[in-house]
Amino acid sequence: MRIQRTINAIIGATKDRRDITRGAKHKLEGVDLQFYNNLKSTSGPSVHNPVKVAKSWYKAYNENIKKLKLIEELNKPFKKPSLINQIFHRLTRK
């Protein structure tokens, strides 16, 4: 599961940095501007220096890891079968 989380965080960080770079070029309004400002506050502004690009991407990666861990924690209670479900499977098992 950790490998999948890492891959998803890598993809998410790359998409976040792409959105920041595209947002810097366009005039944004409303929800798009709020989304852009939120991304910019977590991982930094659009940059073109390779060292700063790597640092900003790593910040976005860490934020995506935190978000994925939070989602996993929220979904953990739903992975355990309910008592009714366990009783039903015991009764119908052959």
Side-chain angles (χ1 to χ4, degrees):
M1 191 61 163
R2 282 193 252 156
I3 294 172
Q4 188 66 35
R5 183 191 317 149
T6 304
I7 291 170
N8 287 339
I10 289 169
I11 292 169
T14 304
K15 286 182 178 181
D16 287 351
R17 294 308 302 166
R18 181 196 63 188
D19 290 341
I20 288 175
T21 303
R22 287 183 179 175
K25 295 177 184 178
H26 296 90
K27 187 175 182 179
L28 302 174
E29 297 175 355
V31 176
D32 293 333
L33 181 61
Q34 289 176 351
F35 176 71
Y36 172 74
N37 288 334
N38 187 20
L39 283 179
K40 192 168 87 170
S41 69
T42 57
S43 67
S46 176
V47 293
H48 299 291
N49 181 349
V51 174
K52 290 181 181 179
V53 168
K55 286 181 181 179
S56 295
W57 183 88
Y58 187 68
K59 286 180 186 177
Y61 170 78
N62 285 333
E63 287 297 320
N64 278 291
I65 286 285
K66 288 179 189 176
K67 183 171 40 173
L68 291 171
K69 284 182 180 179
L70 175 68
I71 291 170
E72 286 176 7
E73 286 297 317
L74 291 173
N75 287 331
K76 196 178 278 188
F78 300 108
K79 290 186 179 183
K80 183 179 176 186
S82 67
L83 182 62
I84 296 171
N85 195 9
Q86 290 175 353
I87 292 170
F88 176 75
H89 282 291
R90 285 184 184 166
L91 291 174
T92 59
R93 191 171 44 181
K94 293 182 180 182

